[in-house]
Amino acid sequence: MSCLAIFALLPLLVMGKDYELTFEVPDNREQCFYEDIDLNQEVEIEFQVLVGGKNDIDVIIYGPGQNILQSFKKEQQKAHTFKTLDRGQYIFCFNNEFSSFSHKVVYFYLGIGEEESLTEEMAVKATALTQMESSCVSIHEALGAIRDYQTDYRLREFRGRTVAELLNERVQLWSLGECLALVVLSFSQVLLVRSFFRGKPNRAQPRF
């Protein structure tokens, strides 16, 4: 089996579905996502609060029939895996109702189903893997690791950029306030100095 044929099989081997979202949850609001999932599917979720307040949020997972499968209270980031026992609509809700004024920016990953390994597909062969096939498997695994690293770096870059932009905005506002205070103080000093050199008004002498 050539390397080109192995990579042609990749879309067929990836049986699961992956979703990655970055969204905003306003204060005193709840954001929910709905997904129809079959029976006996492995579901992996991961969330992380990037910006907002204390970087925490409530998460509730509902199964078919609105029954609560799992809940997390004021978590900053979490990874959780479970297997579906029923077929139907699953709901993933992010609740920010406990926050009165700060909105949250959340990263959410949802993986459904298992990814079949290339080595399992090749195990049906009677002969051992060739050097090219082994290299293709290594490349495939390395690409998966690179994807995970890129996601982690992208989230760190987003959080760092947001903090930098917020700091820059506050520095600009503080500088503007200092400039206005300096102008007012300078104008007040000019008026004060002019009052020192202003002559007393001449008063008419009384006539007898």
Side-chain angles (χ1 to χ4, degrees), residues 45 59-63 67-70 72 80 82 91-92:
I45 71 165
V59 180
I60 304 176
I61 303 174
Y62 296 94
N67 56 317
I68 298 178
L69 301 181
Q70 186 67 43
F72 307 97
H80 178 66
F82 66 95
I91 308 173
F92 306 88

Side-chain angles (χ1 to χ4, degrees), residues 6-111:
I6 293 175
F7 281 106
L9 287 174
L10 289 181
L12 300 178
L13 297 178
V14 180
M15 304 300 294
K17 294 186 294 184
D18 294 334
Y19 302 97
E20 285 185 299
L21 301 172
T22 301
F23 57 94
E24 182 176 327
V25 184
D27 52 282
N28 295 315
R29 296 289 298 275
E30 184 180 53
Q31 184 81 10
C32 294
F33 299 93
Y34 303 81
E35 182 67 23
D36 292 327
I37 306 177
D38 291 331
L39 179 65
N40 293 328
Q41 293 291 320
E42 184 174 334
V43 180
E44 178 185 0
I45 71 165
E46 181 181 355
F47 64 89
Q48 180 178 352
V49 182
L50 302 178
V51 178
K54 297 182 180 179
N55 292 340
D56 56 353
I57 198 166
D58 294 342
V59 180
I60 304 176
I61 303 174
Y62 296 94
Q66 299 291 324
N67 56 317
I68 298 178
L69 301 181
Q70 186 67 43
S71 63
F72 307 97
K73 294 293 185 181
K74 295 186 178 181
E75 293 282 354
Q76 296 183 351
Q77 63 179 49
K78 196 76 174 181
H80 178 66
T81 304
F82 66 95
K83 200 162 189 177
T84 58
L85 301 178
D86 297 302
R87 180 179 182 181
Q89 188 178 74
Y90 288 76
I91 308 173
F92 306 88
C93 291
F94 296 82
N95 194 315
N96 193 31
E97 293 179 350
F98 63 87
S99 180
S100 302
F101 55 89
S102 61
H103 67 277
K104 310 291 176 61
V105 177
V106 183
Y107 164 79
F108 176 48
Y109 167 80
L110 174 63

